[in-house]
Amino acid sequence: FEDLANVICKFPNVANEGRFVLIPGPNDPGITGILPRGPIPNYFTAALRSKVKNVMLASNPCRMRFFTKEIVFFRDNLVSKMRRNCLIEPRQESTGQLSSHAIKTVLDQGHLSPLPLSTSPIYWQHDHALRLYPFPDALICGDRVEQYFENYAECDAINPGPFSNGFNFVVYRPVGETSGSQTKSDVELCEVP
């Protein structure tokens, strides 16, 4: 986190005016293996918070509201967990098809962890944080699989992809184009050359 702080501080406007939300993933420090996860402990982020003005340590999953839009952020290796625990092995399908099946399963079940408790333990007092009913406007999944975007049942499901493979990122605009009486979001999948 100190290295991240040093990179951000190279851009003073970003360090002073930018807003950073850190959501813990499966390999981040803290209590792991149980959902929902609490924020990354302050001990690990002290250097970052001392150098960068607006850093928020969030839980996993994290819910945010942008005007009337609800956005849920969830960092987990969802596709690989679901594939490991399926009853019937999927046919030779592309990663995009597997991601699509995973997102549809999660949204149809209305829960971010539709797996057995032996695979994905849940802290029951906070199970409500994993529920997806009613559907959010956007579900941002931090998964290891390649980038994807799908709109399913009026919910934008987005995975920015692993940052380590070509520096992928996603630009998500909760309010994009307006056609008739509907306002649609705008998603742009990007890669740094």
Side-chain angles (χ1 to χ4, degrees):
F1 291 108
E2 191 169 341
D3 291 341
L4 176 62
N6 292 335
V7 169
I8 292 171
C9 286
K10 289 180 181 178
F11 305 94
N13 287 343
V14 173
N16 292 327
E17 297 173 24
R19 304 218 185 286
F20 298 89
V21 179
L22 300 179
I23 302 168
N27 299 324
D28 286 330
I31 298 173
T32 60
I34 192 164
L35 291 172
R37 282 196 60 184
I40 297 170
N42 289 335
Y43 172 78
F44 295 102
T45 59
L48 175 66
R49 289 181 293 112
S50 68
K51 294 178 181 179
V52 180
K53 189 175 177 181
N54 298 307
V55 175
M56 184 178 108
L57 303 175
S59 63
N60 183 21
C62 170
R63 293 174 187 269
M64 291 186 189
R65 186 161 291 283
F66 182 80
F67 295 101
T68 61
K69 304 285 186 176
E70 182 184 23
I71 304 168
V72 174
F73 294 87
F74 181 57
R75 288 190 60 201
D76 201 10
N77 300 322
L78 191 62
V79 173
S80 62
K81 271 187 182 180
M82 292 182 77
R83 188 167 185 196
R84 264 185 278 144
N85 293 284
C86 64
L87 295 175
I88 300 172
E89 183 71 24
R91 288 180 242 133
Q92 295 293 0
E93 298 181 5
S94 69
T95 305
Q97 289 173 316
L98 292 173
S99 302
S100 178
H101 288 302
I103 288 300
K104 288 177 182 177
T105 301
V106 165
L107 290 173
D108 287 342
Q109 294 292 323
H111 202 274
L112 287 169
S113 183
L115 297 167
L117 290 176
S118 59
T119 302
S120 185
I122 295 172
Y123 186 49
W124 284 109
Q125 286 183 313
H126 299 286
D127 175 65
H128 63 278
L130 299 170
R131 295 185 192 142
L132 293 174
Y133 186 80
F135 287 167
D137 294 293
L139 172 60
I140 315 292
C141 296
D143 205 335
R144 287 186 189 169
V145 297
E146 295 303 314
Q147 284 184 338
Y148 62 81
F149 165 71
E150 182 169 336
N151 185 288
Y152 180 70
E154 300 301 317
C155 177
D156 291 328
I158 304 164
N159 179 38
F163 191 68
S164 60
N165 293 356
F167 301 108
N168 299 326
F169 66 95
V170 172
V171 177
Y172 175 68
R173 296 174 196 88
V175 180
E177 63 182 59
T178 303
S179 60
S181 64
Q182 280 193 326
T183 303
K184 297 198 176 227
S185 58
D186 185 20
V187 177
E188 183 180 335
L189 301 175
C190 304
E191 184 174 324
V192 176

